[in-house]
Each structure stands twice: as C-alpha cells, then as structure tokens.
Amino acid sequence: MDQSHRELLVSSPPPASGRKVAPTNQGQFPRTESHISASSAVIREVEACRQRYKRLHPKDCADDEKDYKTLVHSLQLERLSAIFKSKFGSDGKCATGPCGLKEEQAAVYFDVYGKNEITPPPRENIWYKLFKQTFFGIFNLLLWSCVVAEVALIVVFSGRNAQDEMAAVPPIRHKGHLGKLKEVADDAQGEQDADYVTPCILSAVIIMAALLQWYSELKAESQMEAMQKLQTASTVSAVRISSKGERKELELDPVNIVPGDIIFLAAGDRIPADVRILYCTDGMEVDNAALTGESIPEPRNTKTEAITCSPPEAHNLAFFGTTVLKGNATCIVHATGDATFLGKIASSIKSSRVKSTLEIQIEHFVHIIAVVAICVGILSLVANLLSPIKRSPPDILQNSAAALFAQVPEGLLPTVTISLMIASDQMAARNVIVRKIDAVETLGCVSVFCSDKTGTLTTGEMTVQDLVVPSVSAGTLSLDVSNRDKESGKFKASKHLDAIAACGILNNGADVRIEKDNTERWTGSPTEVAILRACAEVSAEAPKQVKTKPGNVKCFEIPFNSENKWMLTIHGTQGQGKFSAILKGAPERVLKYTTIQSDATSMAKIEQTLQDLMSQGRRVLCIARRDLSQSEVPAGSKFEGTTDTDCNFPMKDFEFVGLYGIEDPPKKGVDDAVVMAQRAGVKVVMVTGDHPDTARAIATRINILGSSWDEGANESEQLQGAAEFSVVTGKMLDTRIPRGDNFTDEEPEDNVKWWRKAVQHTRVFARVSPIHKQVIVQAYQKYGYGGIGDIVAMTGDGVNDAPALKQAEVGVAMGQRGTEVAKDAADIVLHDDNFPSVVKGIEQGRLSSENLQKSIMYTLCSKIPQVAPTFAELFGIPQALTVAQVLLIDIGTDIWTAIAYALQPAESKLMERVPRHPRYEKMVNCKVLLYSYGYIGQFQMLFCWIMFFWAAPGIWDLYVSGKSPNDYDNEDFVVDTMGMTVYYWTLVLGQIAAAISTTTKSQSVFGLGTTPYCFPNTTLNLMFVGEIVLGLGAIYCAPIQSAFNTGWIPMKSVLLPIIAFVGITLIDEIRKLLSRQCEEEKSIKSKSRPR
C-alpha cells in the first residue's frame, strides 16, 4: 500500500446482520459474509479511505509525494472526527466516556500500516560486506593480482624450472661437480618452497585485514543499536473503545500507535507520532529543536490554523521526535512512521556517501606504486636478459616478477586497518562511536570544525548563573550580584537571597519529583526548571515544603504568554484572607508595575546591571511581589483576569525582588578543547540559530572569538572592511545562497569575494536556518584553504542538521540529544554529546594518518637495496641477493614491523602542526618518496655494498677475478653465498635503523638536542628482536639456509654490519636536529613579522 495513505485510517461499516445471501447452485455452499477474507475487507477499507484522504491534501499533492503536505491543522475538530472515525470528547479532553478508535478497527489499521517507526536505511548484508572488504578496493585488487600472478608462475614454471636446472648440470667428474649439483638442487627446491609460502602469507594478510575492518564496523553498529535501545521511548497513555463500547485506557508501546488514536501527553514526554492537538493547558510549550534547530520553546494551542499556514509553523500540531516541555495535552494521531514530518525528511536524505579521504589517498598511492613496480619489473627483465649469468626464460620471468612484486608494500593494508581500529577503540573509550573506521583518518585531516552551540558547546540546559537582589542603605539602592561558585558550580546559601528564592519557587510552573530509583526528575519549561533549581539551592527548605505552606498555596495564575511577557501567581488561604501576588517576566514589562519605576537613579542602576548581564549572553528575568490588602481582594476571593487591564485586583505598586541571569552555559573543558584545536591549525566555527549577541558572548568565553591562537579571527578585527565578518547572521546569508544545489564556477563575482572573506575570518554564524548550515559547509569546501577547499567536520543533532552532516567530510551526530535521522547521516556519534571528545578524536585521526605514512616510508626504504643487485650483475658483480632472500625480508620481517607502526604513540608536537590537506599534501608525496628512495634507501644500499665487499670473505677477490657465474666452482659458490648472506644481514640491520628513524619526523629518538622520544612502542621493539633472531637464523640455522640460499659467515662479518645501523640512525638524528633548528628560525621570523 502507498505510504502516502498512512495518515488516514477509515473503516467501512460492517455488513448489516439482515443482509440476504445470494442464491447458489446446487452442491455449492451458500456464500455468506463470513467467507469474505480479511484482506478483501482491508482493500475495501483502504479504497474507501483514498477518496477522503485526497481532501486532506492540496490538489497538487501526488500519491507518492516526498514533501510533507497536509491540511490536518486547518480542519475543524468535527471534520477530523468524521474523517478518522475516532470519537472525541465534547471539550476535547477525552477524559471521560468512550473515546478514540474501536479496538477492532485499531487492530486492522496496525496490520495494514505496520509499526510506528521510521524505516532505517537499508543495511548491507554482513557477509556481502565481508566479501566486498576482502576482494574489492583498489589496493586489495593490487594485492590479489600479485597473489594470482605468483600462483600462476608457480604452476606454470616451478616444476619445469627445477628440472631444467638439474638437466643443465654436467656429468659428475669430480667433487666440485658434486658440490655444484647439490647447490643447484638445494637452490631449486628452496626457491620452489619459498614461492609457495609467499602467496599464502600475502593471502592471509589480506583476509586478516578485511576481517579486522569487518569486525570493527560490526562492533560500531552493535554499539549504535545498544544506544538506541537505551533511548527507547516510554509507553504512551491512550484511550480506545472496547468491543463492548466502553472506554478502555491503555499504556501503549509507541510502535503500536496507529493514526486515529487518542493519546495523552504531559510535560517531559517525547511525542511518539505526528499529532493534532485537541486540548492543551494554557502556556503549553514544545521543544522543536530536533526539527528546526531552535532551542527556544514553542507555544502550542488548539486554535484551527488557516489553510495557508504551512504544517511546520502550525501551533496546533506537534511532531514525532519532539518533546513536551510544559503543560498537558490530548491529541489525535494523524501520521505515523515514514508518513511523519521526521520520516519524510529521513527518506529524502538516504544517499550514498562520497569516497573518504583515506580511499582517495590509497588510490593515489596505488597508482604511484603500480607505475614504480611496472618500471622496476621491466628494467629487471632487461637486466636479466643482459646479465652475464645465463638464466632460462622461466628464471628470467620469475626474477622480473619478483622484482615487481617486491615494490608492493604488503603490510600497508593491515597497518591501515589496525591503526584505524586502535583509534576507533580509543575513541569508543571516550564515548565516541565510529560508524565507519576510515572516518578516523578523515577526522585527522579536518581543517574546519563547524559546531552547533546548544548541547554541543553548551550543556543544552538553561541555568541561572546570576541572582541579583536589591539592598537599601541610607535611602540609596544598591544591587548585590551572586554568582555560582566556580569549583562546586552552586550558589552559596545566604539570608539576603531568601526572598528571591521563595518567590522563584512559588511563581513557577516547573516541578520536581523523586523517581523509584531515587533520582530527581525535573519537568516544565527549561527556563522555569532553571529558576526552580537555583532557588532550591539557596532555599533552606525544599520546593515542595515551600509550596505547601498555608500562606503559599497557589489560588490563581495568569500563565506567561507572548503578549503579556510575564507570569502572575496569587498565593494565600481563603479563610485567612491574606494574599500575595508574585509577578515574573521580561524586565521592561515587570519593572513598570513596581514602585521603583519612578526612581530614575535606581532604574539607571538596574538598567546598567541588565546591560552587563546581557552583554555576557544572559537572558534576564525580573521578579516582583506585593501583598494584597483585604479591600483589594475580590469578593469570595475569586480572582479573575488575563491581562493588566481586565484583572479584578490591582496591578501596581509591586516590590522589586530581584533579577535572574539565565543562560545555557558552556560545557566544562570546551574552552580548553577549542584552544587545543586552534593550536592544531583547526578553525572552530560556531553555527547556531541563537541570537547574535548570545552567540558572540558564548563564543568569546570558550575562545572561539578573541583567542590568541586563531589568527584568522583576529585579523577580522584588524583588517579594513573585515569587521562585518566577525559574526555573520542568517539575514546576511540570505542574499549569498548559491544559485543551484551547490557553489559553481559561475557564481557572481561579488558573492565569491564575500564568501572568500567569510570562510577566512568568520567564526560565528548566528540566526541560521537548516539550509544555511549546508551552504556554510559547501562554502568552506569550495572557497576555504586558499581556494583548494577545506576538509570540514560538522556536528548536529536535529533532523534539520542531517543535510549538512551528509555534506561534510565528517558528520558528527549527538548520541543523547540527536535524532535517529541525524545519527544515520553521520560518520561519528558522540555518545555523551561532549565536544572535547571529538577534538581528542582529531588527535587520534592525525596519529593514524601519521603512522600510516611512517609505515609506508619504512616499507619503501628497502626497495632500492633489494633491486640494486639485479642491475649490479650488468657490471660483473657477483649475485648479492636472491629472490628468496627478498621475499624473506618482505614477508618474514618488513610486513610485521610495518603493522606494528599502528601502535606507535604520537610525537610531542603532533597537535601543534597544521592539518595535512589530502588534496594539497598527499599521504604519499614527493617528500615521502624522496625520503624512502632517495635518502634512507640510498644509504642502505651504500652500506650493503660496502659490507658486501668488505665484510664478506673472498667476495672482492671473486669480483676482480672476472669469473662468470656460470664458471663458478664449489668454493666460488660458497664465497658468493657468504657474500649474499652479508648483504642480506646488512639490509636487515639497515631496515631496523630505518624503522627507528621513521618513528619520528622531527623529534629526536635518542635526545639529540631535545627531549628523547625513545622506544615507547613495545610491539615494534619486539619486531626488532624478531628481525634479529630471524636474520641470525638465516645465518646459522640449516633449514633456513637451505630454503633461502644463505650460509654461515664468521663473527666478524656479523658484527661489522652494525656500522650500517649506527650510521643510518646517526645521519637521520643529525637531519632531525637541523630540521628543528630551521623550523624554530621560521617561527621566530613569522612572530617578528608585523601583521
């Protein structure tokens, strides 16, 4: 059935009991109503509903309409009752008598329309996801290509190659030939065994990496599901009509609600569906922040709206996912699940996400490696063809293929996965759920962080920060301001605060009650709750005790409304005849009813205090009281009135009691987190729907504005013509919206210039709408970072934030305040809604990116000395490294050491560098290639050749003899084997030196001129030990010697290559020292340069 018909449910009347049965042929059963299937009845019911349903929508509304269009808010209650076939009470309260849907009818509706829940985005089958993560992705395809090629070479050439080598050996005439025969046989068998090991290990590495990523993302999904279960809404009070026609009150699970149900809502309840309000108490308020992003409560009433009023602006509608803040209501459900306003928005943003920065970086790296590997493979083929060593075609092809495969860093894939998993787990410990692990790396590249204010940078709860009370000395008014204690966060009780505390408790619509688990539950308007909490802190008695005292019983109330802008309560006992009135509201409205309004001096002092409080972003309310004399009390103590003009008691001569300074305060630690982000080169931008003055005050307090670490924001206050960009409002943005869905190169020149200044200098966007948020993200992505485009992270909690969360490279949703729509659109979810947690996540992301880059640098270092012996043969140099030994280095040691980089801690100044921009500075760039191929790799090759000729006994003599390898006798083979072993051992030590050097980019490992980094990675240290043990095993262990063509060498030859280790580490330590000195000089020059 069409989802568009979920808003209306109508049942056709049951067949009359006296209906005649049509005649039937003989031998057939009579056709009766009982034979009509339930499905047929449902079809008839729905068809009858469709005609009436069209009357509830505009004429241009299609059956599959994606936008939210309804006329429910413009219909009279009688019409709604007839359409929904739901019975209402005469006064709308539905408090007595049969009301709501018939139970049978509700059951049918539930079968037809299903559960009241928004259809989640389609989830990928977990086994298909594992298959895709194992066999897809450009780097996986490259590795699997290597595996397939190696297996093909084994199958096609391995057996034939061994036979050809044995056949090429001349008949045995003396012991030398016998040795050569044994050498050739061992060599052939060893290479064959080694070749089988390589594809097996490489396949295991690929599968292991895929399994780890699969497990990590499944764990994140399970955490999301667990969080959703914790946030499941409580039952909803509803009423239906039983089969006997009697009233039946129910407590329904929200998923079982159907359109036409009558439900009852109270303060604190989450609205379970889209509803039309039939009855509500005066001053009812709802929190629509989940839909609109506005933190200001919105009033609700029962007045029928004009047909021209849009549904989101109708005051007689309340929407699924929002919350009742104040008052009670009786409502009729008119839309459930996907047909709700929330559901319509959710369905409109279900789209695939673009490639992450990590995927782009890996793709770029694979392209580089593919080019390098192919070039090396071709050059190796040419070198083998021109080599004085005569090899068979299968040997030449295998050697060339091995040289090609050796250029591929097999350890990168598991290193990527493990490092991101570690970062994800560490973030999970801080209540940050990473839904897609490559978002961690993207987070490390973020250059702009757009954050909502309410609930992210601030607590999301209104709090009284200041209590202002008057004191009179020698006829002169003075004002005492009491603030919360910085350590405890509470007011200190004081006698002079008793009056403002008592008045704040009595003139208050909020309430507090103790739950079964002894926790306090505060209900009511956020402002009222804030005042009640503050007054309870300074009052000597609990709020309940104060309210129940005989003289404090409330007997009349005029609720707050937008016209009066004040709230009045009268307290007293009729028998005693003593009454007092308390007035609370906007200062400019309340003060005019007080005795102090005629005192210009006192009013000036109050006005100055008001200005001081409002400049700090406070919302200020004034409170006053007066006693009513016997003559001022109306007859029978029946107080009446709704405004100051129609009250039957005097509205003048109130005594000024004090002021409440209220705000949504910044969260603890946010100011330090903002500075931490700014020091790391990340712009923190506040994007809020609040008033510009409030936004500016909060932004200043949490260092978004006025921070010494944010040069762009400071320049906006210094550069000529840039002052207008300090705080940008939604009104200013209205004329700067792009023509299409996004910014293009055809934008007007003045728009482009304006946005370039805005993305450089603006740190606060205030009074913005949902569309503005998405445009702001697009502007940073188009014009930020000097025109390259910023990498943007965006936080949000409401449905209105979902498009911006999708637009940003990293969408961060709030776990507690956030809607499911926002969470589905996000990459990362903050379980505790804590901004400092995501700033720590930036550090984790940077660390992951750094470690990946270091792992690549380390892996690529050995590629030059590995391929050099192939080309050295052209100059008559004896063979220095075999294919099997290359594989022993790559698969036996390098791959595991590369993976260990995932556990590497951060350098000391990681969060003092500007973020790496993936489009400006690739993870594998010319600096990385120069470091690995042109710097460390060259030194490794140099030391390997030095040790090959110096530390290996007899190699130099063998070289100068000019013998062809085809003419070697057994002794020559032994000498060449020792030379290869020395070359291999030197390269192992050189790779350990490279690993130590690449653990830091600028910080000294051993403390040369700075604080030492040392060796904090235990796993990497164990890999060093493993490399040494395996290297010594290749020298002295017979089975390894046989498999990888190594041999025994004297102790001198083992110790001399340590020079290579010391030399490489010392050279790189000197480089880091010079690099730090250059950076310090640049820093001094930049600070001394006038701005």
Side-chain angles (χ1 to χ4, degrees):
M1 183 195 142
D2 260 334
Q3 288 293 332
S4 59
H5 300 122
R6 295 185 64 167
E7 292 192 11
L8 178 62
L9 299 170
V10 181
S11 68
S12 298
S17 57
R19 182 175 177 179
K20 293 182 179 180
V21 179
T24 60
N25 296 329
Q26 189 177 4
Q28 290 181 325
F29 288 105
R31 179 178 174 83
T32 66
E33 288 297 330
S34 61
H35 289 100
I36 298 177
S37 67
S39 60
S40 299
V42 169
I43 293 173
R44 279 179 26 191
E45 202 170 296
V46 171
E47 188 59 36
C49 170
R50 285 178 177 173
Q51 300 306 316
R52 283 185 280 266
Y53 187 81
K54 291 180 180 179
R55 300 174 187 174
L56 294 176
H57 295 80
K59 293 181 180 180
D60 62 345
C61 184
D63 288 343
D64 58 348
E65 183 64 56
K66 294 182 179 179
D67 292 334
Y68 188 76
K69 295 182 178 179
T70 182
L71 301 177
V72 172
H73 59 292
S74 65
L75 299 176
Q76 298 295 329
L77 296 185
E78 295 78 9
R79 178 66 173 154
L80 286 176
S81 178
I83 291 175
F84 285 107
K85 298 296 182 183
S86 185
K87 189 174 181 180
F88 301 167
S90 58
D91 57 356
K93 290 184 178 181
C94 301
T96 59
C99 294
L101 294 170
K102 293 182 179 178
E103 281 197 312
E104 299 82 359
Q105 189 180 27
V108 172
Y109 291 172
F110 183 82
D111 291 338
V112 175
Y113 300 106
K115 294 181 177 181
N116 173 34
E117 57 186 9
I118 295 174
T119 304
R123 292 194 176 181
E124 203 172 37
N125 181 278
I126 59 173
W127 303 113
Y128 175 70
K129 179 184 282 189
L130 176 61
F131 176 81
K132 190 170 71 171
Q133 289 172 343
T134 305
F135 296 101
F136 290 87
I138 190 166
F139 195 70
N140 293 54
L141 292 174
L142 177 64
L143 294 179
W144 281 121
S145 299
C146 292
V147 171
V148 171
E150 288 174 354
V151 171
L153 289 173
I154 292 171
V155 172
V156 175
F157 296 119
S158 184
R160 190 190 311 168
N161 188 26
Q163 294 173 5
D164 291 345
E165 288 190 14
M166 293 296 293
V169 178
I172 299 173
R173 295 193 177 103
H174 52 76
K175 291 183 179 180
H177 282 173
L178 181 63
K180 183 171 183 179
L181 176 64
K182 183 177 183 302
E183 182 74 24
V184 169
D186 289 345
D187 181 62
Q189 184 62 42
E191 289 188 8
Q192 187 172 351
D193 291 343
D195 285 343
Y196 279 114
V197 170
T198 303
C200 291
I201 292 180
L202 191 53
S203 300
V205 166
I206 301 170
I207 294 171
M208 179 187 72
L211 283 170
L212 289 173
Q213 182 178 354
W214 180 69
Y215 168 75
S216 179
E217 292 186 3
L218 282 186
K219 186 168 72 171
E221 289 300 323
S222 66
Q223 289 174 330
M224 286 289 296
E225 291 173 2
M227 184 170 63
Q228 289 169 3
K229 290 177 181 178
L230 289 174
Q231 295 179 337
T232 301
S234 56
T235 57
V236 179
S237 298
V239 61
R240 289 177 180 171
I241 301 175
S242 69
S243 57
K244 296 180 181 180
E246 298 175 348
R247 176 186 180 88
K248 187 172 184 180
E249 296 184 355
L250 303 167
E251 290 293 326
L252 295 177
D253 190 305
V255 297
N256 296 328
I257 292 173
V258 297
D261 265 329
I262 302 294
I263 63 173
F264 305 97
L265 300 174
D269 288 346
R270 185 179 179 187
I271 299 170
D274 283 6
V275 299
R276 164 74 187 268
I277 299 172
L278 305 178
Y279 163 82
C280 68
T281 55
D282 290 339
M284 178 187 174
E285 293 178 346
V286 294
D287 178 8
N288 275 353
L291 297 178
T292 65
E294 291 285 349
S295 59
I296 299 174
E298 296 187 16
R300 284 295 176 262
N301 56 49
T302 60
K303 182 181 177 182
T304 301
E305 298 282 359
I307 196 171
T308 55
C309 177
S310 65
E313 295 176 357
H315 284 182
N316 61 4
L317 297 183
F319 301 99
F320 178 35
T322 60
T323 306
V324 179
L325 295 177
K326 180 181 178 183
N328 304 314
T330 302
C331 313
I332 180 171
V333 176
H334 71 85
T336 58
D338 291 335
T340 61
F341 188 26
L342 196 68
K344 292 286 187 181
I345 299 176
S347 62
S348 69
I349 62 170
K350 292 173 184 175
S351 60
S352 59
R353 187 170 288 279
V354 296
K355 285 183 179 179
S356 67
T357 58
L358 180 62
E359 291 172 313
I360 296 171
Q361 297 297 298
I362 294 297
E363 188 173 328
H364 174 259
F365 174 59
V366 168
H367 290 158
I368 292 176
I369 288 301
V371 172
V372 171
I374 291 172
C375 291
V376 169
I378 293 173
L379 292 173
S380 177
L381 177 64
V382 173
N384 274 274
L385 290 172
L386 300 177
S387 173
I389 301 176
K390 302 304 177 185
R391 295 188 174 92
S392 63
D395 265 345
I396 293 174
L397 187 58
Q398 278 187 315
N399 286 348
S400 302
L404 187 151
F405 299 151
Q407 300 304 310
V408 179
E410 302 89 349
L412 176 63
L413 189 62
T415 304
V416 170
T417 305
I418 293 173
S419 62
L420 295 181
M421 277 186 64
I422 292 169
S424 177
D425 288 342
Q426 290 178 346
M427 290 172 71
R430 296 188 176 100
N431 290 316
V432 181
I433 300 173
V434 181
R435 302 187 64 203
K436 192 169 176 59
I437 63 172
D438 57 2
V440 176
E441 191 275 339
T442 307
L443 189 60
C445 298
V446 163
S447 55
V448 170
F449 202 112
C450 296
S451 178
D452 188 22
K453 179 182 75 71
T454 305
T456 307
L457 300 174
T458 62
T459 60
E461 294 182 356
M462 300 303 290
T463 306
V464 174
Q465 297 289 78
D466 314 278
L467 293 174
V468 182
V469 294
S471 63
V472 179
S473 177
T476 303
L477 176 76
S478 61
L479 298 175
D480 297 331
V481 181
S482 298
N483 305 109
R484 290 184 177 275
D485 182 66
K486 291 184 178 180
E487 294 182 1
S488 65
K490 295 184 177 182
F491 287 105
K492 293 181 179 179
S494 177
K495 193 71 176 176
H496 74 286
L497 297 177
D498 288 348
I500 196 171
C503 290
I505 292 173
L506 296 176
N507 183 276
N508 203 303
D511 192 20
V512 56
R513 60 175 180 265
I514 306 299
E515 299 291 336
K516 293 180 180 179
D517 57 356
N518 290 325
T519 58
E520 294 179 342
R521 186 186 180 193
W522 300 79
T523 57
S525 165
T527 303
E528 298 282 79
V529 169
I531 293 174
L532 186 61
R533 281 181 182 269
C535 294
E537 288 178 16
V538 299
S539 174
E541 297 175 303
K544 187 175 182 181
Q545 293 176 322
V546 175
K547 288 183 178 182
T548 54
K549 284 185 176 181
N552 291 343
V553 176
K554 183 167 66 175
C555 55
F556 179 73
E557 177 181 2
I558 300 178
F560 180 91
N561 60 58
S562 56
E563 293 181 5
N564 291 337
K565 291 190 177 179
W566 47 256
M567 170 186 180
L568 181 138
T569 55
I570 295 180
H571 306 265
T573 306
Q574 186 172 0
Q576 296 179 352
K578 292 182 180 180
F579 294 92
S580 61
I582 303 175
L583 186 66
K584 182 184 69 189
E588 67 274 13
R589 295 295 182 92
V590 173
L591 287 171
K592 70 180 184 179
Y593 300 116
T594 63
T595 56
I596 207 171
Q597 58 95 22
S598 59
D599 186 346
T601 304
S602 298
M603 286 297 293
K605 291 182 178 180
I606 295 175
E607 287 293 338
Q608 183 59 52
T609 304
L610 286 172
Q611 291 299 323
D612 292 342
L613 292 175
M614 288 188 289
S615 67
Q616 300 175 51
R618 307 284 202 266
R619 179 191 177 194
V620 184
L621 293 182
C622 179
I623 193 162
R625 72 178 299 279
R626 68 158 292 176
D627 293 326
L628 298 176
S629 64
Q630 289 284 357
S631 60
E632 293 171 336
V633 177
S637 301
K638 292 183 179 179
F639 296 92
E640 295 176 354
T642 56
T643 67
D644 58 350
T645 57
D646 63 358
C647 291
N648 61 355
F649 53 89
M651 284 289 294
K652 61 180 182 178
D653 297 334
F654 279 80
E655 176 190 351
F656 173 65
V657 175
L659 302 172
Y660 300 102
I662 308 169
E663 71 167 358
D664 178 11
K667 284 184 178 177
K668 186 177 181 180
V670 166
D671 51 352
D672 292 335
V674 169
V675 170
M676 181 180 178
Q678 291 169 343
R679 292 180 65 181
V682 179
K683 299 176 186 175
V684 181
V685 180
M686 179 188 291
V687 183
T688 179
D690 275 351
H691 192 278
D693 291 341
T694 304
R696 186 192 296 272
I698 296 295
T700 302
R701 288 170 59 188
I702 61 176
N703 299 314
I704 289 179
L705 289 177
S707 172
S708 59
W709 291 98
D710 194 343
E711 295 182 2
N714 292 334
E715 286 176 3
S716 69
E717 299 175 3
Q718 299 171 15
L719 295 179
Q720 186 176 4
E724 62 175 300
F725 295 101
S726 177
V727 177
V728 170
T729 63
K731 190 175 181 180
M732 297 166 66
L733 294 177
D734 286 336
T735 59
R736 306 293 179 179
I737 302 295
R739 294 174 177 177
D741 293 335
N742 206 334
F743 289 97
T744 64
D745 294 335
E746 283 73 38
E747 293 296 321
E749 186 62 28
D750 61 330
N751 253 20
V752 173
K753 289 181 179 178
W754 190 91
W755 275 114
R756 282 176 177 167
K757 286 186 178 180
V759 298
Q760 183 180 359
H761 302 302
T762 304
R763 295 296 179 269
V764 176
F765 292 90
R767 282 284 190 244
V768 296
S769 66
I771 188 64
H772 290 152
K773 291 186 176 184
Q774 188 174 9
V775 169
I776 290 166
V777 173
Q778 291 171 343
Y780 277 107
Q781 292 172 330
K782 176 70 175 177
Y783 303 113
Y785 215 87
I788 298 174
D790 280 301
I791 304 300
V792 183
M794 177 74 191
T795 67
D797 51 15
V799 176
N800 62 305
D801 296 324
L805 292 175
K806 274 279 188 181
Q807 182 69 43
E809 280 82 0
V810 181
V812 183
M814 302 297 106
Q816 295 179 355
R817 293 170 52 89
T819 61
E820 296 306 316
V821 177
K823 294 173 190 174
D824 287 334
D827 307 285
I828 293 173
V829 178
L830 299 182
H831 198 177
D832 58 358
D833 297 1
N834 196 13
F835 179 78
S837 298
V838 78
V839 174
K840 288 290 185 182
I842 293 177
E843 183 177 12
Q844 291 294 332
R846 287 194 182 186
L847 179 59
S848 300
S849 180
E850 284 270 306
N851 287 343
L852 292 178
Q853 192 176 56
K854 290 174 181 178
S855 176
I856 293 171
M857 290 165 62
Y858 159 76
T859 305
L860 296 181
C861 285
S862 64
K863 303 309 176 186
I864 294 295
Q866 283 178 2
V867 77
T870 302
F871 302 104
E873 290 179 4
L874 296 174
F875 303 99
I877 296 175
Q879 187 175 9
L881 206 65
T882 66
V883 173
Q885 290 163 0
V886 170
L887 295 176
L888 180 61
I889 293 171
D890 284 349
I891 303 296
T893 59
D894 278 5
I895 188 172
W896 312 113
T897 305
I899 292 172
Y901 272 86
L903 298 164
Q904 196 69 21
E907 291 183 54
S908 60
K909 295 186 178 181
L910 177 65
M911 288 296 284
E912 294 180 17
R913 306 175 194 159
V914 295
R916 179 184 59 81
H917 197 295
R919 289 190 287 272
Y920 178 73
E921 183 185 352
K922 303 291 186 184
M923 183 181 292
V924 180
N925 50 41
C926 59
K927 292 180 181 179
V928 171
L929 297 177
L930 182 63
Y931 181 91
S932 299
Y933 290 141
Y935 171 54
I936 296 293
Q938 296 297 324
F939 278 114
Q940 284 184 340
M941 181 181 68
L942 177 63
F943 280 112
C944 283
W945 285 125
I946 291 173
M947 295 302 149
F948 181 72
F949 287 110
W950 180 33
I955 281 291
W956 180 257
D957 295 335
L958 183 62
Y959 169 61
V960 297
S961 69
K963 276 188 179 181
S964 169
N966 297 312
D967 299 328
Y968 284 175
D969 57 22
N970 188 43
E971 185 177 345
D972 294 333
F973 274 117
V974 171
V975 170
D976 193 21
T977 300
M978 287 195 294
M980 287 189 291
T981 305
V982 170
Y983 193 99
Y984 160 78
W985 173 242
T986 305
L987 184 52
V988 168
L989 294 177
Q991 273 297 84
I992 295 176
I996 292 173
S997 298
T998 53
T999 53
T1000 64
K1001 289 184 176 181
S1002 60
Q1003 186 177 357
S1004 172
V1005 176
F1006 299 98
L1008 185 63
T1010 185
T1011 305
Y1013 182 75
C1014 295
F1015 300 88
N1017 188 349
T1018 304
T1019 304
L1020 186 61
N1021 297 338
L1022 291 175
M1023 292 301 105
F1024 294 158
V1025 175
E1027 287 192 43
I1028 293 172
V1029 170
L1030 185 61
L1032 293 174
I1035 298 172
Y1036 297 112
C1037 182
I1040 301 178
Q1041 290 176 349
S1042 175
F1044 295 99
N1045 304 320
T1046 57
W1048 177 91
I1049 56 175
M1051 185 57 65
K1052 177 184 176 182
S1053 300
V1054 174
L1055 297 177
L1056 281 176
I1058 296 176
I1059 296 173
F1061 168 81
V1062 175
I1064 292 173
T1065 53
L1066 182 60
I1067 290 169
D1068 201 56
E1069 284 289 291
I1070 295 171
R1071 178 197 67 81
K1072 291 173 184 175
L1073 176 63
L1074 297 175
S1075 175
R1076 289 194 305 274
Q1077 289 176 349
C1078 290
E1079 288 180 5
E1080 289 174 3
E1081 288 177 4
K1082 287 181 181 179
S1083 177
I1084 293 170
K1085 288 180 180 179
S1086 64
K1087 289 179 180 178
S1088 61
R1089 189 183 301 123
R1091 291 182 180 178

